[in-house]
């Protein structure tokens, strides 16, 4: 097993085949990492694949050959049976044929003709054996890729995630410094989440109007993690428990808007919000039997609409 790199997965495979002097059917390919373009010049990585040479004895070429041989034998048997079956039809005209006998003979002659016609589908089924074998091979490959990770692989993944979070902290501190904000970061990091809490004296400047600045930084942080191979890690940025206070504010907003809609009978459009805040409004009013909620518009101007339930 050898690891090869390239600008794309295809380029990495081609480089490996050239170096190993093998064809594509003579190796098994395992994609270790997709190519990454990086973000702002950071995190650029080539594609990596592992090629394993398949032993010559393991090449699954016997199935199509046996199927083809079976088809050829069946075709030969039909071809030999076709000329022998009409012989009784040549000897039977000795007695005086009636119209019914002629009809029965015609039917008998038609039978070998229909058998000869069915030879075509038999050969076609043998030709279809190839894609069946290919699909089985693909299923086997998928099953192999879904095998449980070893403890060493899990530890390596966690170490890579921790490295990505540390790099993200340095990146965010550099960004807020350009905004004129000096801050420290407290990190709560798990397997699939990372909560980064800014500690700064300029909280309002870092939060922005209706949280627009901190939300923009959170989107930027998530994109950074995606480009560093940690897209499964959900990033949340917070400043002085702003997220908790914002959640309470949105719940009060949802209840007051529902009362307004019930009183007036008219739907109400809320201010545009990020997706996680819209979900909170939907969840808060999901059990309300008098109003319903839906979203309209496109991000970043997508907003929640509260209307009377019909």
């Amino acid at each position: 097993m050898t690891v090869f790199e390239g600008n794309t997965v295809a380029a990495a495979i081609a480089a490996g085949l050239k170096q190993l002097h093998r064809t594509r059917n003579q190796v098994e390919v395992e994609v270790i990492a997709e190519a990454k373009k990086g973000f702002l010049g950071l995190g650029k990585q080539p594609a990596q694949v592992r090629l394993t040479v398949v032993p010559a004895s393991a090449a699954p070429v016997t199935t199509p050959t046996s199927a083809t041989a079976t088809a050829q034998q069946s075709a030969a048997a039909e071809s030999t049976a076709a000329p022998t079956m009409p012989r009784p039809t040549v000897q039977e005209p000795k007695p005086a044929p009636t119209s019914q006998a002629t009809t029965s003979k015609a039917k008998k002659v038609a039978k070998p003709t229909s058998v000869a016609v069915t030879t075509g589908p038999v050969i076609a089924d043998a030709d279809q054996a190839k894609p069946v074998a290919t699909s089985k091979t693909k299923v086997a490959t998928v099953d192999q890729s879904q095998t449980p990770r070893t403890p060493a692989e899990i530890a390596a993944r966690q170490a890579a995630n921790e490295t990505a979070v540390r790099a993200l902290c340095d990146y965010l501190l550099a960004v807020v410094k350009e905004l004129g904000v000096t801050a420290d970061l407290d990190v709560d990091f798990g397997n699939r989440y990372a909560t980064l809490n800014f500690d700064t004296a300029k909280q309002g400047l870092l939060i922005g109007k209706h949280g627009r600045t901190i939300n923009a930084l959170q989107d930027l942080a998530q994109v950074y993690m995606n480009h560093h191979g940690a897209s499964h890690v959900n990033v949340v940025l917070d400043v002085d428990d702003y997220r908790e206070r914002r959640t309470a504010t949105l719940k009060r907003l949802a209840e007051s808007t529902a009362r307004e809609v019930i009183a007036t009978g008219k739907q109400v459009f809320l201010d545009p919000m990020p997706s996680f805040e819209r979900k909170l409004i939907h969840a808060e009013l999901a059990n309300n039997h008098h109003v319903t909620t839906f979203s309209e518009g496109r991000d970043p101007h997508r907003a929640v609409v509260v209307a009377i339930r019909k």
Side-chain angles (χ1 to χ4, degrees):
M1 296 184 295
T2 310
V3 177
F4 299 92
E5 296 181 351
N7 294 331
T8 62
V9 173
I13 294 174
L17 295 177
K18 183 177 180 181
Q19 183 172 342
L20 296 175
H21 301 288
R22 293 290 189 276
T23 62
R24 180 64 179 80
N25 296 331
Q26 295 176 333
V27 298
E28 291 183 354
V29 179
E30 178 185 357
V31 178
I32 299 176
E34 297 284 349
K36 300 175 182 177
K37 296 182 180 179
F39 181 73
L40 299 180
L42 300 175
K44 183 177 181 180
Q45 296 180 359
Q48 295 183 344
V49 299
R50 178 180 290 115
L51 301 185
T52 305
V53 178
V54 179
S57 58
V61 296
T62 57
T63 302
T65 305
S66 60
T68 304
T70 304
Q72 292 176 351
Q73 291 176 359
S74 62
E78 295 296 341
S79 62
T80 54
T84 57
M85 293 182 68
R87 291 178 182 176
T89 61
V90 177
Q91 297 175 358
E92 284 184 3
K94 293 180 179 180
T98 61
S99 58
Q100 295 179 352
T102 305
T103 305
S104 61
K105 291 173 187 177
K107 292 182 180 180
K108 291 182 180 180
V109 173
K111 289 182 180 179
T113 305
S114 62
V115 173
V117 172
T118 58
T119 305
V122 173
I123 298 176
D125 291 340
D127 293 337
Q128 292 175 359
K130 295 181 180 179
V132 172
T134 304
S135 63
K136 291 181 179 179
T137 304
K138 290 182 179 179
V139 171
T141 304
V142 173
D143 293 339
Q144 291 176 0
S145 63
Q146 295 178 352
T147 54
R149 291 191 176 95
T150 63
E153 291 175 340
I154 296 175
R157 184 66 174 269
Q158 292 177 347
N161 292 343
E162 183 177 355
T163 302
V165 171
R166 289 180 179 177
L168 174 63
C169 292
D170 296 338
Y171 174 72
L172 290 176
L173 291 176
V175 171
V176 299
K177 185 177 181 180
E178 295 296 327
L179 298 176
V181 178
T182 302
D184 293 327
L185 273 174
D186 296 329
V187 181
D188 182 12
F189 174 60
N191 185 28
R192 292 189 173 273
Y193 73 92
T195 302
L196 283 63
N197 194 357
F198 285 97
D199 183 10
T200 178
K202 299 181 179 181
Q203 301 170 356
L205 181 60
L206 194 57
I207 293 173
K209 185 178 180 180
H210 299 308
R212 292 175 183 173
T213 303
I214 193 67
N215 289 341
L217 288 173
Q218 180 169 299
D219 292 340
L220 189 64
Q222 190 65 63
V223 172
Y224 185 93
M225 293 294 287
N226 294 347
H227 281 271
H228 284 73
S231 58
H232 61 285
V233 178
N234 185 35
V235 181
V236 176
L237 301 188
D238 199 1
V239 182
D240 192 27
D241 297 328
Y242 166 75
R243 297 299 181 191
E244 183 178 353
R245 291 185 277 114
R246 179 63 173 170
T247 298
T249 300
L250 291 175
K251 289 183 177 180
R252 291 194 299 268
L253 175 63
E255 293 297 333
S256 63
T257 304
R259 289 193 296 269
E260 178 183 351
V261 170
I262 295 172
T264 62
K266 298 179 181 180
Q267 62 184 15
V268 175
F269 287 77
L270 300 180
D271 292 333
M273 302 176 187
S275 61
F276 60 90
E277 291 187 350
R278 295 197 303 269
K279 290 179 181 178
L280 195 151
I281 298 291
H282 294 312
E284 185 67 20
L285 298 179
N287 297 325
N288 192 308
H289 301 291
H290 304 287
V291 299
T292 184
T293 61
F294 56 92
S295 298
E296 283 192 0
R298 294 185 177 181
D299 288 327
H301 306 292
R302 192 166 176 82
V304 175
V305 182
V306 184
I308 287 290
R309 185 184 294 273
K310 297 181 180 179

